[in-house]
Amino acid sequence: MFSSGHNKVLVLAPHPDDETLGCGGTLLKHKEAGDRIYWVIVTCISEKEGWDTAKVKERKGEIEEVLNFYEFEKHFSLDFPAAKLDQVPKKELTNSLGKVFDKINPDIIYVNHGGDIHSDHRSVFEAVSSATKDFRRPNIKKIVTYETISETEFQLHEGKDLNESFIPNMYVDITDFFDKKCQAFKIYDSEVMEGSLPRSLSSIEALARFRGSRISSTYAEAFRILYEKC
């Protein structure tokens, strides 16, 4: 997966910081292997939606800093309003993502888990599912979902619907990249929680250690492969 150095890797983030929480170490590993990495931010905050001007300016600065940190080839901001994706027609969101896919022609796509508690995450996953049908975009080799701490594990399940559960079938050793993942997340200053809360650095480390134990490494990120072309 990381040996060719010729892949175009696209990560979809419903909100800025999802890319780092879900697959920051893996993106850095792709970059070191020579792959080209791209970033799509689906939602934004704006004064029009009632956000404070200072907060909007701060978020724009964070995005610019994260963009430079990872050295993305390019990033796309779709600018749908945050926390309101469930009010956006599915066709509109699907078409917006499809236009990005056509511009990049990605080989590998990382997207959030479809069973996440946040409605924005669910909307993004559903739109990606529609926009990546093989007959529409046959160039895609692999589609992988990532887990987002404080979203993936907080979904309440009724009955035994395994489609709602995040059950990894792929693990990536990020031991050499974990510290840089934490550096990237700290750029989102207001998102860093304290103590034992989900988005604290200690909780992020605990999850990475737990996932790493599955493959006998110090730190790992876990994923679920949804589609892989042989």
Side-chain angles (χ1 to χ4, degrees), residues 125-143:
F125 178 82
E126 290 175 5
V128 168
S129 297
S130 296
T132 56
K133 292 178 180 178
D134 184 71
F135 65 85
R136 287 179 176 161
R137 295 180 175 90
N139 56 288
I140 298 172
K141 299 175 184 175
K142 183 180 288 189
I143 302 171

Side-chain angles (χ1 to χ4, degrees), residues 150-210:
S150 83
E151 300 293 351
T152 306
E153 78 277 17
F154 273 87
Q155 179 59 264
L156 300 178
H157 306 303
E158 187 174 336
K160 296 182 179 180
D161 186 356
L162 294 180
N163 290 324
E164 296 291 325
S165 302
F166 181 75
I167 304 174
N169 57 11
M170 179 181 117
Y171 298 82
V172 176
D173 184 348
I174 62 163
T175 302
D176 293 340
F177 305 94
F178 179 73
D179 287 344
K180 287 194 71 175
K181 171 184 170 120
C182 290
Q183 289 175 36
F185 184 61
K186 285 191 286 187
I187 293 171
Y188 298 108
D189 184 60
S190 63
E191 300 298 325
V192 180
M193 296 178 175
E194 299 296 327
S196 58
L197 292 173
R199 294 195 177 195
S200 66
L201 294 174
S202 61
S203 294
I204 291 170
E205 180 178 11
L207 178 60
R209 282 191 177 276
F210 173 64

Side-chain angles (χ1 to χ4, degrees), residues 52-197:
D52 180 73
T53 300
K55 180 61 179 177
V56 173
K57 184 177 180 180
E58 178 187 26
R59 179 52 54 86
K60 289 180 179 178
E62 290 170 347
I63 290 171
E64 190 64 31
E65 191 172 347
V66 170
L67 179 64
N68 293 330
F69 184 91
Y70 284 102
E71 297 182 319
F72 286 106
E73 296 289 324
K74 193 171 184 180
H75 93 288
F76 300 82
S77 293
L78 302 187
D79 293 335
F80 289 103
K84 292 185 177 181
L85 275 187
D86 57 350
Q87 299 173 33
V88 175
K90 183 178 176 180
K91 183 177 181 180
E92 182 179 348
L93 179 55
T94 300
N95 288 343
S96 293
L97 289 172
K99 290 176 183 178
V100 173
F101 297 161
D102 289 339
K103 288 178 181 178
I104 299 173
N105 290 317
D107 299 294
I108 302 170
I109 291 176
Y110 289 94
V111 63
N112 60 276
H113 171 57
D116 286 354
I117 188 65
H118 202 302
S119 59
D120 283 354
H121 286 225
R122 288 173 170 265
S123 295
V124 170
F125 178 82
E126 290 175 5
V128 168
S129 297
S130 296
T132 56
K133 292 178 180 178
D134 184 71
F135 65 85
R136 287 179 176 161
R137 295 180 175 90
N139 56 288
I140 298 172
K141 299 175 184 175
K142 183 180 288 189
I143 302 171
V144 183
T145 58
Y146 59 77
E147 60 182 334
T148 310
I149 195 167
S150 83
E151 300 293 351
T152 306
E153 78 277 17
F154 273 87
Q155 179 59 264
L156 300 178
H157 306 303
E158 187 174 336
K160 296 182 179 180
D161 186 356
L162 294 180
N163 290 324
E164 296 291 325
S165 302
F166 181 75
I167 304 174
N169 57 11
M170 179 181 117
Y171 298 82
V172 176
D173 184 348
I174 62 163
T175 302
D176 293 340
F177 305 94
F178 179 73
D179 287 344
K180 287 194 71 175
K181 171 184 170 120
C182 290
Q183 289 175 36
F185 184 61
K186 285 191 286 187
I187 293 171
Y188 298 108
D189 184 60
S190 63
E191 300 298 325
V192 180
M193 296 178 175
E194 299 296 327
S196 58
L197 292 173

